[in-house]
Amino acid sequence: GAVVSQHPSRVICKSGTSVKIECRSLDFQATTMFWYRQFPKQSLMLMATSNEGSKATYEQGVEKDKFLINHASLTLSTLTVTSAHPEDSSFYICSARQTGASEAFFGQGTRLTVV
Amino acid sequence: GQQVMQIPQYQHVQEGEDFTTYCNSSTTLSNIQWYKQRPGGHPVFLIQLVKSGEVKKQKRLTFQFGEAKKNSSLHITATQTTDVGTYFCAGLLSGGSYIPTFGRGTSLIVHP
């Protein structure tokens, strides 16, 4: 199947700093990428949908100025958590969908801990 | 908005027993997908069902899509310890951007 690489896998940062998470589709072009947040033992909460070359569409309740998403190319989307606080600590996962397809392939996830 | 309900939330079984998780959507779906997430891992795509009443099999896993395309199930026959993980269904609506709506998942615990 298609491979999606997410980096970093783990990051610890100080409160008030910003963290950038990268999501790359390695062997296909991803018109659409999704960013999720997952709390322990819970489901995937969709944060935003990112389409290449256009602004991301954020789900209700997700602050677009805090969670900056950039999808500058067909193989790369980034999520930047700005001015991170301990409540932002979570598991963030991206998924990418190939043009014309409906199944999505997930990255490995990023465990963010804000101290 | 669209909701996808998934039950049960947890299921403990003895190795060798069968397991089933159920998914119900508040709206008619275009497709339904199933994913497996191992503890500490990321969701991995298992299968997609598209047709009304469709049944697909992958070894010991059987996936069904209801006639009304509003419900789905995943059945595992004779569970093994390698089946441990959380199984998510994700429903997709037609006519839109195919944004998947995930159920809350069913965590399967297999006791040897």
Side-chain angles (χ1 to χ4, degrees):
Chain A
V3 178
V4 176
S5 176
Q6 187 173 340
H7 178 82
S9 58
R10 291 179 183 275
V11 57
I12 300 173
C13 71
K14 290 186 178 180
S15 188
T17 61
S18 296
V19 173
K20 180 185 281 190
I21 302 169
E22 292 188 349
C23 183
R24 293 181 185 271
S25 56
L26 297 186
D27 52 0
F28 67 99
Q29 292 185 328
T31 310
T32 305
M33 289 187 175
F34 302 100
W35 287 95
Y36 295 88
R37 185 172 179 176
Q38 187 177 35
F39 292 100
K41 301 186 187 294
Q42 294 193 23
S43 188
L44 299 152
M45 184 191 81
L46 180 65
M47 298 174 66
T49 302
S50 167
N51 292 298
E52 186 266 337
S54 63
K55 290 184 178 180
T57 302
Y58 290 81
E59 295 299 302
Q60 193 172 8
V62 178
E63 299 175 58
K64 61 180 181 180
D65 293 330
K66 180 167 184 62
F67 299 99
L68 300 178
I69 291 172
N70 184 280
H71 193 162
S73 77
L74 284 171
T75 58
L76 173 65
S77 177
T78 60
L79 167 67
T80 301
V81 183
T82 62
S83 187
H85 288 94
E87 57 265 30
D88 299 324
S89 299
S90 190
F91 191 53
Y92 293 88
I93 315 177
C94 70
S95 71
R97 192 170 67 201
Q98 198 168 1
T99 306
S102 56
E103 62 265 38
F105 298 93
F106 283 82
Q108 300 93 326
T110 297
R111 176 77 58 194
L112 170 63
T113 304
V114 184
V115 297
Chain B
Q2 181 196 9
Q3 290 189 357
V4 175
M5 310 299 290
Q6 189 173 355
I7 58 169
Q9 186 175 357
Y10 298 96
Q11 184 75 58
H12 290 256
V13 299
Q14 289 294 130
E15 189 172 19
E17 291 181 339
D18 293 356
F19 159 78
T20 305
T21 172
Y22 301 90
C23 220
N24 283 289
S25 169
S26 57
T27 54
T28 302
L29 300 170
S30 171
N31 312 346
I32 194 156
Q33 300 170 348
W34 286 92
Y35 295 81
K36 177 183 179 181
Q37 184 176 22
R38 293 181 185 274
H42 62 280
V44 174
F45 176 80
L46 294 177
I47 208 161
Q48 174 169 270
L49 304 173
V50 179
K51 298 177 183 176
S52 169
E54 188 170 16
V55 178
K56 286 189 176 180
K57 291 191 176 186
Q58 288 180 351
K59 296 183 180 179
R60 294 178 294 104
L61 277 62
T62 302
F63 303 85
Q64 292 188 324
F65 201 9
E67 294 289 341
K69 299 184 75 172
K70 295 180 75 171
N71 56 34
S72 181
S73 65
L74 158 60
H75 180 82
I76 302 179
T77 304
T79 54
Q80 300 174 359
T81 54
T82 52
D83 295 325
V84 165
T86 301
Y87 293 85
F88 292 98
C89 62
L92 290 87
L93 294 175
S94 60
S97 56
Y98 283 109
I99 297 174
T101 300
F102 281 82
R104 67 182 305 175
T106 296
S107 293
L108 172 63
I109 301 100
V110 180
H111 299 278

